[in-house]
Amino acid sequence: FRKKQPSVASLIQDINSGDKIALSRAITLVESKNRTHLAQANQIIEACISNKKNTLRVGITGVPGVGKSTFIEALGKYLTGIGKKVAVLAVDPTSSLSSGSILGDKTRMEALVKDENAFIRPSPSGDSLGGVARKTRESIILCEAANFDVILIETVGVGQSETAVHGMVDFFLLLKLAGAGDELQGIKRGIMEMTDTIVINKADGKNKQATKLASIEFTRALHFYPPKENGWIPMVLQCSALENEGISEVWQTIINFKKATLNSMYEKRKYQNKFWLLQTIEDNLKIRFYEDDAIQEQLKQLTVQVMNAKVSPFVAAEQLLAIHQKELK
Ligand code: GDP
């Protein structure tokens, strides 16, 4: 016995009234590979799109073990405690490969999971980072339509996933640990430029002194980067997610950021929308090209010829694109 799926219209209505089950269902449609589901998902997203300005999208990254889920739980609980509604999403391009992946593990964020004003959704799985990121992007729209006002997006930072998350958030936070004086090692290229605030976690117990030193070193390092266009000067904060210390300071910094950069924040969202338009066109063009039967057939043959230097890769590519174009007419 399968329960009848609710109609698109009733899903939209329920999402708008903040129903988490409807929200979950809509995200499942977004993540589906079934064409009917995707068409329904598009209808729902179209109805949910808005220019809401009272939301904040925060990206959180850091190496495994740095304390991302502990931190998100602490921040999430703090936020629901001050009356916010918090959604937690994730971008983990490896999630289809490893089962113990980001947010997938039920024991993570136990308290937040039970919180009525929190919504937690594991990373969509997908063949490409582009696909995974797009689904998360669409889920943000749905969460905001369901009246979640803070969206936390976690990423493990595999490959280009930080860049993808940076392209969908207002504020980007890097979680770090104090080490043995080599704090700047192991920071991936480009991360410092994206970072709006570095938060050094596990500032507790024996770690306190090392955290102070690390904080000085990171602050110094940040000065070597060119100033941000929006005028914001990235900060270095300390917290203990485990002991719930420094969490409200992190939130205050995010609020200060919003106040200080409000106009450029909304401007950035406009450009992010434009970016996702172009990105989606690119993704879909590729998918349609490779799904084309005529292309699949010709591609096989031409690949052999290209590999054996009978045809140049460039001419072969042109031929295939011409075939696809003809198919479209
Ligand atoms: P993630 O892999 O980045 O999500 O990290 P987790 O949140 O799973 O944390 C990894 C480990 O660090 C766990 O054993 C946590 O209990 C511990 N941990 C997280 N935050 C803190 C903290 O602020 N202080 C201390 N001492 N341990 C922490």
Side-chain angles (χ1 to χ4, degrees):
F1 173 69
R2 280 184 62 198
K3 241 176 109 180
K4 202 167 158 281
Q5 278 292 320
S7 70
V8 163
S10 73
L11 273 180
I12 294 169
Q13 197 180 14
D14 292 347
I15 291 170
N16 285 326
S17 67
D19 180 350
K20 288 203 273 186
I21 294 171
L23 174 60
S24 264
R25 283 200 166 130
I27 294 179
T28 303
L29 292 176
V30 163
E31 292 176 355
S32 169
K33 286 204 156 52
N34 174 306
R35 277 179 194 269
T36 317
H37 291 167
L38 287 179
Q40 290 170 334
N42 276 339
Q43 261 179 291
I44 297 172
I45 288 171
E46 204 53 28
C48 286
I49 201 120
S50 82
N51 250 333
K52 268 190 192 171
K53 296 204 165 167
N54 56 348
T55 64
L56 259 170
R57 307 162 186 171
V58 179
I60 296 163
T61 191
V63 296
V66 71
K68 287 181 297 300
S69 53
T70 314
F71 174 81
I72 289 172
E73 171 143 277
L75 180 60
K77 287 301 287 178
Y78 170 77
L79 290 171
T80 58
I82 58 170
K84 301 275 179 206
K85 286 188 68 179
V86 182
V88 181
L89 305 173
V91 173
D92 176 4
T94 63
S95 72
S96 51
L97 305 175
S98 61
S99 55
S101 69
I102 204 165
L103 295 183
D105 183 346
K106 283 217 175 59
T107 59
R108 300 179 90 208
M109 304 185 198
E110 261 176 347
L112 200 58
V113 167
K114 290 186 206 126
D115 195 318
E116 196 189 325
N117 289 315
F119 175 81
I120 300 183
R121 181 84 181 188
S123 176
S125 57
D127 308 324
S128 68
L129 170 63
V132 171
R134 195 178 63 247
K135 290 169 201 168
T136 303
R137 180 74 186 80
E138 292 174 29
S139 300
I140 295 176
I141 296 170
L142 297 175
C143 290
E144 290 182 352
N147 302 319
F148 286 89
D149 39 24
V150 183
I151 320 290
L152 305 176
I153 299 155
E154 177 181 5
T155 179
V156 276
V158 174
Q160 292 295 306
S161 64
E162 275 131 345
T163 311
V165 170
H166 183 253
M168 60 177 90
V169 297
D170 306 315
F171 187 92
F172 195 76
L173 188 155
L174 172 65
L175 274 185
K176 288 297 293 179
L177 293 176
D182 56 352
E183 323 303 353
L184 299 173
Q185 295 206 355
I187 294 192
K188 268 164 62 182
R189 255 183 94 92
I191 296 294
M192 290 290 257
E193 288 90 331
M194 289 193 262
T195 298
D196 293 306
T197 278
I198 294 176
V199 179
I200 308 174
N201 188 32
K202 308 197 186 182
D204 45 46
K206 282 187 286 186
N207 259 333
K208 273 191 176 159
Q209 190 54 28
T211 305
K212 268 192 200 139
L213 295 175
S215 169
I216 294 167
E217 194 174 339
F218 280 126
T219 309
R220 198 181 295 142
L222 281 171
H223 286 307
F224 290 113
Y225 290 90
K228 292 194 183 271
E229 259 176 53
N230 60 8
W232 176 252
I233 299 167
M235 327 229 318
V236 181
L237 302 173
Q238 307 172 20
C239 82
S240 169
L242 200 64
E243 295 180 0
N244 250 314
E245 270 177 39
I247 301 297
S248 63
E249 286 80 356
V250 173
W251 180 244
Q252 194 51 52
T253 302
I254 297 174
I255 293 296
N256 292 346
F257 170 88
K258 184 172 176 175
K259 279 189 196 141
T261 67
L262 203 58
N263 286 333
S264 43
M265 197 178 109
Y266 297 137
E267 206 53 30
K268 184 161 86 181
R269 284 189 179 185
K270 284 188 197 167
Y271 282 95
Q272 288 175 336
N273 287 341
K274 179 181 164 192
F275 170 80
W276 287 100
L277 164 70
L278 300 178
Q279 191 72 41
T280 309
I281 291 174
E282 268 175 44
D283 290 350
N284 288 352
L285 277 176
K286 256 196 217 165
I287 291 170
R288 282 173 204 177
F289 177 80
Y290 288 112
E291 276 180 351
D292 182 337
D293 290 337
I295 292 300
Q296 287 184 5
E297 190 49 43
Q298 285 296 315
L299 182 59
K300 255 189 242 154
Q301 294 176 17
L302 279 167
T303 304
V304 177
Q305 295 184 34
V306 165
M307 288 172 83
N308 293 309
K310 301 277 187 241
V311 183
S312 84
F314 320 105
V315 167
E318 281 304 328
Q319 281 180 12
L320 289 164
L321 287 166
I323 293 169
H324 184 56
Q325 226 159 21
K326 241 187 242 157
E327 292 275 307
L328 294 177
K329 281 180 188 153

Tab-separated table of all heavy atoms in Angstrom, residues 283-320:
chain	number	residue	atom	x	y	z
A	283	ASP	N	25.416	22.643	-17.732
A	283	ASP	CA	25.202	21.263	-17.282
A	283	ASP	C	24.197	20.553	-18.179
A	283	ASP	O	24.412	19.428	-18.620
A	283	ASP	CB	24.648	21.236	-15.844
A	283	ASP	CG	25.686	21.671	-14.834
A	283	ASP	OD1	26.868	21.803	-15.208
A	283	ASP	OD2	25.310	21.886	-13.660
A	284	ASN	N	23.081	21.248	-18.442
A	284	ASN	CA	22.021	20.595	-19.205
A	284	ASN	C	22.397	20.374	-20.663
A	284	ASN	O	22.012	19.369	-21.256
A	284	ASN	CB	20.717	21.388	-19.098
A	284	ASN	CG	20.117	21.249	-17.709
A	284	ASN	OD1	20.613	20.449	-16.904
A	284	ASN	ND2	19.085	22.008	-17.413
A	285	LEU	N	23.157	21.311	-21.221
A	285	LEU	CA	23.623	21.112	-22.599
A	285	LEU	C	24.447	19.831	-22.670
A	285	LEU	O	24.273	19.008	-23.571
A	285	LEU	CB	24.486	22.291	-23.046
A	285	LEU	CG	23.755	23.525	-23.552
A	285	LEU	CD1	24.748	24.636	-23.860
A	285	LEU	CD2	22.933	23.201	-24.800
A	286	LYS	N	25.328	19.673	-21.715
A	286	LYS	CA	26.184	18.483	-21.684
A	286	LYS	C	25.358	17.214	-21.565
A	286	LYS	O	25.554	16.253	-22.303
A	286	LYS	CB	27.120	18.567	-20.475
A	286	LYS	CG	28.521	18.952	-20.838
A	286	LYS	CD	29.418	18.615	-19.669
A	286	LYS	CE	30.491	19.672	-19.527
A	286	LYS	NZ	31.160	19.631	-18.257
A	287	ILE	N	24.425	17.249	-20.609
A	287	ILE	CA	23.609	16.047	-20.380
A	287	ILE	C	22.848	15.687	-21.653
A	287	ILE	O	22.867	14.549	-22.107
A	287	ILE	CB	22.628	16.276	-19.199
A	287	ILE	CG1	23.426	16.364	-17.896
A	287	ILE	CG2	21.597	15.152	-19.119
A	287	ILE	CD1	22.615	16.830	-16.698
A	288	ARG	N	22.208	16.690	-22.272
A	288	ARG	CA	21.420	16.414	-23.477
A	288	ARG	C	22.295	15.899	-24.607
A	288	ARG	O	21.897	15.021	-25.360
A	288	ARG	CB	20.679	17.669	-23.920
A	288	ARG	CG	19.473	17.879	-23.054
A	288	ARG	CD	18.784	19.172	-23.302
A	288	ARG	NE	18.053	19.510	-22.071
A	288	ARG	CZ	17.373	20.607	-21.901
A	288	ARG	NH1	17.292	21.496	-22.857
A	288	ARG	NH2	16.744	20.830	-20.768
A	289	PHE	N	23.472	16.447	-24.719
A	289	PHE	CA	24.395	16.018	-25.766
A	289	PHE	C	24.730	14.533	-25.593
A	289	PHE	O	24.582	13.736	-26.518
A	289	PHE	CB	25.657	16.882	-25.703
A	289	PHE	CG	26.716	16.495	-26.690
A	289	PHE	CD1	26.621	16.900	-28.013
A	289	PHE	CD2	27.807	15.740	-26.295
A	289	PHE	CE1	27.599	16.540	-28.936
A	289	PHE	CE2	28.795	15.386	-27.207
A	289	PHE	CZ	28.691	15.792	-28.540
A	290	TYR	N	25.150	14.162	-24.406
A	290	TYR	CA	25.600	12.785	-24.204
A	290	TYR	C	24.452	11.785	-24.163
A	290	TYR	O	24.650	10.597	-24.358
A	290	TYR	CB	26.465	12.680	-22.936
A	290	TYR	CG	27.820	13.312	-23.128
A	290	TYR	CD1	28.175	14.467	-22.450
A	290	TYR	CD2	28.743	12.760	-24.021
A	290	TYR	CE1	29.415	15.059	-22.632
A	290	TYR	CE2	29.983	13.346	-24.217
A	290	TYR	CZ	30.311	14.497	-23.518
A	290	TYR	OH	31.537	15.072	-23.724
A	291	GLU	N	23.238	12.283	-23.908
A	291	GLU	CA	22.085	11.367	-23.895
A	291	GLU	C	21.558	11.113	-25.306
A	291	GLU	O	20.782	10.184	-25.517
A	291	GLU	CB	20.957	11.975	-23.053
A	291	GLU	CG	21.111	11.698	-21.586
A	291	GLU	CD	19.988	12.318	-20.763
A	291	GLU	OE1	19.191	13.099	-21.332
A	291	GLU	OE2	19.930	12.019	-19.554
A	292	ASP	N	21.962	11.923	-26.257
A	292	ASP	CA	21.501	11.818	-27.639
A	292	ASP	C	21.978	10.481	-28.234
A	292	ASP	O	23.175	10.198	-28.269
A	292	ASP	CB	22.104	13.021	-28.393
A	292	ASP	CG	21.681	13.088	-29.846
A	292	ASP	OD1	21.303	12.045	-30.405
A	292	ASP	OD2	21.749	14.193	-30.408
A	293	ASP	N	21.023	9.645	-28.703
A	293	ASP	CA	21.368	8.316	-29.232
A	293	ASP	C	22.360	8.396	-30.388
A	293	ASP	O	23.315	7.617	-30.459
A	293	ASP	CB	20.108	7.591	-29.716
A	293	ASP	CG	19.236	7.199	-28.534
A	293	ASP	OD1	19.785	7.086	-27.419
A	293	ASP	OD2	18.012	7.029	-28.723
A	294	ALA	N	22.086	9.330	-31.298
A	294	ALA	CA	22.951	9.459	-32.476
A	294	ALA	C	24.379	9.791	-32.036
A	294	ALA	O	25.356	9.291	-32.603
A	294	ALA	CB	22.414	10.540	-33.406
A	295	ILE	N	24.481	10.624	-31.023
A	295	ILE	CA	25.802	11.006	-30.513
A	295	ILE	C	26.505	9.802	-29.899
A	295	ILE	O	27.683	9.540	-30.163
A	295	ILE	CB	25.672	12.133	-29.458
A	295	ILE	CG1	25.215	13.432	-30.105
A	295	ILE	CG2	26.986	12.356	-28.714
A	295	ILE	CD1	26.142	13.975	-31.164
A	296	GLN	N	25.776	9.047	-29.105
A	296	GLN	CA	26.398	7.902	-28.443
A	296	GLN	C	27.021	6.959	-29.472
A	296	GLN	O	28.133	6.470	-29.293
A	296	GLN	CB	25.360	7.179	-27.582
A	296	GLN	CG	25.024	7.987	-26.341
A	296	GLN	CD	24.065	7.279	-25.410
A	296	GLN	OE1	23.707	6.129	-25.626
A	296	GLN	NE2	23.632	7.975	-24.385
A	297	GLU	N	26.286	6.733	-30.542
A	297	GLU	CA	26.753	5.834	-31.599
A	297	GLU	C	28.010	6.402	-32.264
A	297	GLU	O	29.041	5.747	-32.344
A	297	GLU	CB	25.596	5.696	-32.611
A	297	GLU	CG	25.769	4.636	-33.662
A	297	GLU	CD	26.173	3.293	-33.077
A	297	GLU	OE1	25.600	2.900	-32.039
A	297	GLU	OE2	27.078	2.642	-33.658
A	298	GLN	N	27.894	7.650	-32.707
A	298	GLN	CA	28.998	8.293	-33.436
A	298	GLN	C	30.222	8.516	-32.535
A	298	GLN	O	31.356	8.421	-32.990
A	298	GLN	CB	28.535	9.640	-33.998
A	298	GLN	CG	27.645	9.535	-35.207
A	298	GLN	CD	28.386	8.910	-36.388
A	298	GLN	OE1	29.524	9.261	-36.674
A	298	GLN	NE2	27.741	7.958	-37.053
A	299	LEU	N	29.948	8.816	-31.282
A	299	LEU	CA	31.043	9.108	-30.363
A	299	LEU	C	31.953	7.885	-30.211
A	299	LEU	O	33.180	7.994	-30.204
A	299	LEU	CB	30.481	9.547	-29.005
A	299	LEU	CG	31.509	9.929	-27.930
A	299	LEU	CD1	32.399	11.075	-28.392
A	299	LEU	CD2	30.814	10.327	-26.628
A	300	LYS	N	31.313	6.717	-30.143
A	300	LYS	CA	32.077	5.466	-30.008
A	300	LYS	C	33.031	5.313	-31.186
A	300	LYS	O	34.218	5.081	-31.023
A	300	LYS	CB	31.106	4.272	-29.989
A	300	LYS	CG	30.930	3.666	-28.607
A	300	LYS	CD	30.144	2.369	-28.707
A	300	LYS	CE	28.847	2.472	-27.937
A	300	LYS	NZ	27.777	1.611	-28.406
A	301	GLN	N	32.472	5.459	-32.373
A	301	GLN	CA	33.277	5.265	-33.581
A	301	GLN	C	34.377	6.315	-33.696
A	301	GLN	O	35.530	5.992	-33.972
A	301	GLN	CB	32.385	5.328	-34.813
A	301	GLN	CG	31.402	4.162	-34.848
A	301	GLN	CD	30.448	4.271	-36.036
A	301	GLN	OE1	30.709	5.008	-36.980
A	301	GLN	NE2	29.345	3.543	-35.976
A	302	LEU	N	33.980	7.560	-33.476
A	302	LEU	CA	34.968	8.636	-33.635
A	302	LEU	C	36.068	8.553	-32.579
A	302	LEU	O	37.213	8.915	-32.849
A	302	LEU	CB	34.275	9.996	-33.607
A	302	LEU	CG	33.639	10.407	-34.939
A	302	LEU	CD1	32.707	11.596	-34.755
A	302	LEU	CD2	34.703	10.737	-35.978
A	303	THR	N	35.714	8.079	-31.403
A	303	THR	CA	36.730	7.961	-30.351
A	303	THR	C	37.858	7.038	-30.805
A	303	THR	O	39.041	7.352	-30.649
A	303	THR	CB	36.107	7.424	-29.038
A	303	THR	OG1	35.042	8.277	-28.675
A	303	THR	CG2	37.121	7.404	-27.908
A	304	VAL	N	37.475	5.906	-31.407
A	304	VAL	CA	38.488	4.959	-31.884
A	304	VAL	C	39.370	5.631	-32.932
A	304	VAL	O	40.604	5.539	-32.892
A	304	VAL	CB	37.804	3.695	-32.484
A	304	VAL	CG1	38.843	2.747	-33.051
A	304	VAL	CG2	36.951	3.019	-31.424
A	305	GLN	N	38.725	6.357	-33.841
A	305	GLN	CA	39.496	7.015	-34.902
A	305	GLN	C	40.418	8.099	-34.338
A	305	GLN	O	41.547	8.254	-34.793
A	305	GLN	CB	38.544	7.624	-35.918
A	305	GLN	CG	37.739	6.549	-36.642
A	305	GLN	CD	36.863	7.155	-37.729
A	305	GLN	OE1	37.231	8.131	-38.358
A	305	GLN	NE2	35.696	6.567	-37.937
A	306	VAL	N	39.914	8.816	-33.349
A	306	VAL	CA	40.737	9.873	-32.733
A	306	VAL	C	41.929	9.246	-32.011
A	306	VAL	O	43.066	9.710	-32.124
A	306	VAL	CB	39.894	10.728	-31.754
A	306	VAL	CG1	40.784	11.576	-30.848
A	306	VAL	CG2	38.945	11.628	-32.542
A	307	MET	N	41.653	8.157	-31.301
A	307	MET	CA	42.735	7.511	-30.552
A	307	MET	C	43.835	7.007	-31.479
A	307	MET	O	45.008	7.018	-31.124
A	307	MET	CB	42.178	6.367	-29.698
A	307	MET	CG	41.365	6.857	-28.511
A	307	MET	SD	40.535	5.534	-27.648
A	307	MET	CE	41.857	4.962	-26.591
A	308	ASN	N	43.445	6.615	-32.662
A	308	ASN	CA	44.433	6.095	-33.608
A	308	ASN	C	44.925	7.150	-34.600
A	308	ASN	O	45.505	6.822	-35.628
A	308	ASN	CB	43.851	4.893	-34.359
A	308	ASN	CG	43.627	3.731	-33.410
A	308	ASN	OD1	44.533	3.343	-32.672
A	308	ASN	ND2	42.411	3.217	-33.362
A	309	ALA	N	44.654	8.394	-34.272
A	309	ALA	CA	45.119	9.513	-35.096
A	309	ALA	C	44.616	9.471	-36.533
A	309	ALA	O	45.293	9.912	-37.459
A	309	ALA	CB	46.647	9.616	-35.049
A	310	LYS	N	43.418	8.916	-36.717
A	310	LYS	CA	42.831	8.923	-38.068
A	310	LYS	C	42.044	10.224	-38.271
A	310	LYS	O	41.896	10.693	-39.401
A	310	LYS	CB	41.865	7.735	-38.254
A	310	LYS	CG	42.521	6.384	-38.054
A	310	LYS	CD	43.221	5.923	-39.330
A	310	LYS	CE	43.728	4.500	-39.210
A	310	LYS	NZ	45.209	4.438	-39.369
A	311	VAL	N	41.512	10.720	-37.205
A	311	VAL	CA	40.773	11.992	-37.238
A	311	VAL	C	41.306	12.830	-36.073
A	311	VAL	O	41.633	12.272	-35.016
A	311	VAL	CB	39.255	11.763	-37.029
A	311	VAL	CG1	38.485	13.073	-37.147
A	311	VAL	CG2	38.709	10.735	-38.003
A	312	SER	N	41.374	14.138	-36.246
A	312	SER	CA	41.853	14.958	-35.121
A	312	SER	C	40.716	15.130	-34.101
A	312	SER	O	39.540	15.109	-34.475
A	312	SER	CB	42.331	16.321	-35.618
A	312	SER	OG	41.234	17.193	-35.732
A	313	PRO	N	41.062	15.276	-32.832
A	313	PRO	CA	40.021	15.466	-31.810
A	313	PRO	C	39.135	16.663	-32.122
A	313	PRO	O	37.947	16.675	-31.814
A	313	PRO	CB	40.815	15.734	-30.528
A	313	PRO	CG	42.206	15.358	-30.795
A	313	PRO	CD	42.416	15.289	-32.274
A	314	PHE	N	39.722	17.667	-32.759
A	314	PHE	CA	39.001	18.920	-32.993
A	314	PHE	C	37.960	18.762	-34.088
A	314	PHE	O	36.829	19.221	-33.949
A	314	PHE	CB	40.025	20.005	-33.320
A	314	PHE	CG	41.241	19.867	-32.442
A	314	PHE	CD1	42.434	19.367	-32.928
A	314	PHE	CD2	41.151	20.170	-31.083
A	314	PHE	CE1	43.527	19.196	-32.093
A	314	PHE	CE2	42.240	20.000	-30.248
A	314	PHE	CZ	43.441	19.512	-30.748
A	315	VAL	N	38.360	18.078	-35.158
A	315	VAL	CA	37.408	17.839	-36.244
A	315	VAL	C	36.297	16.910	-35.753
A	315	VAL	O	35.113	17.135	-36.021
A	315	VAL	CB	38.135	17.240	-37.476
A	315	VAL	CG1	37.144	16.686	-38.482
A	315	VAL	CG2	39.014	18.303	-38.114
A	316	ALA	N	36.682	15.891	-34.987
A	316	ALA	CA	35.684	14.941	-34.481
A	316	ALA	C	34.669	15.657	-33.599
A	316	ALA	O	33.458	15.430	-33.703
A	316	ALA	CB	36.382	13.829	-33.701
A	317	ALA	N	35.160	16.551	-32.747
A	317	ALA	CA	34.258	17.301	-31.857
A	317	ALA	C	33.279	18.131	-32.675
A	317	ALA	O	32.076	18.153	-32.399
A	317	ALA	CB	35.066	18.185	-30.909
A	318	GLU	N	33.797	18.805	-33.689
A	318	GLU	CA	32.938	19.622	-34.557
A	318	GLU	C	31.867	18.765	-35.224
A	318	GLU	O	30.705	19.148	-35.322
A	318	GLU	CB	33.772	20.345	-35.625
A	318	GLU	CG	34.491	21.588	-35.127
A	318	GLU	CD	33.541	22.606	-34.491
A	318	GLU	OE1	32.380	22.705	-34.919
A	318	GLU	OE2	33.952	23.298	-33.538
A	319	GLN	N	32.276	17.596	-35.701
A	319	GLN	CA	31.324	16.705	-36.376
A	319	GLN	C	30.200	16.294	-35.418
A	319	GLN	O	29.026	16.314	-35.769
A	319	GLN	CB	32.033	15.440	-36.873
A	319	GLN	CG	32.813	15.647	-38.157
A	319	GLN	CD	33.503	14.360	-38.612
A	319	GLN	OE1	33.235	13.279	-38.097
A	319	GLN	NE2	34.407	14.484	-39.582
A	320	LEU	N	30.597	15.931	-34.208
A	320	LEU	CA	29.600	15.487	-33.230
A	320	LEU	C	28.642	16.619	-32.874
A	320	LEU	O	27.425	16.423	-32.805
A	320	LEU	CB	30.296	14.973	-31.965
A	320	LEU	CG	31.018	13.633	-32.139
A	320	LEU	CD1	31.998	13.391	-30.996
A	320	LEU	CD2	30.013	12.490	-32.227
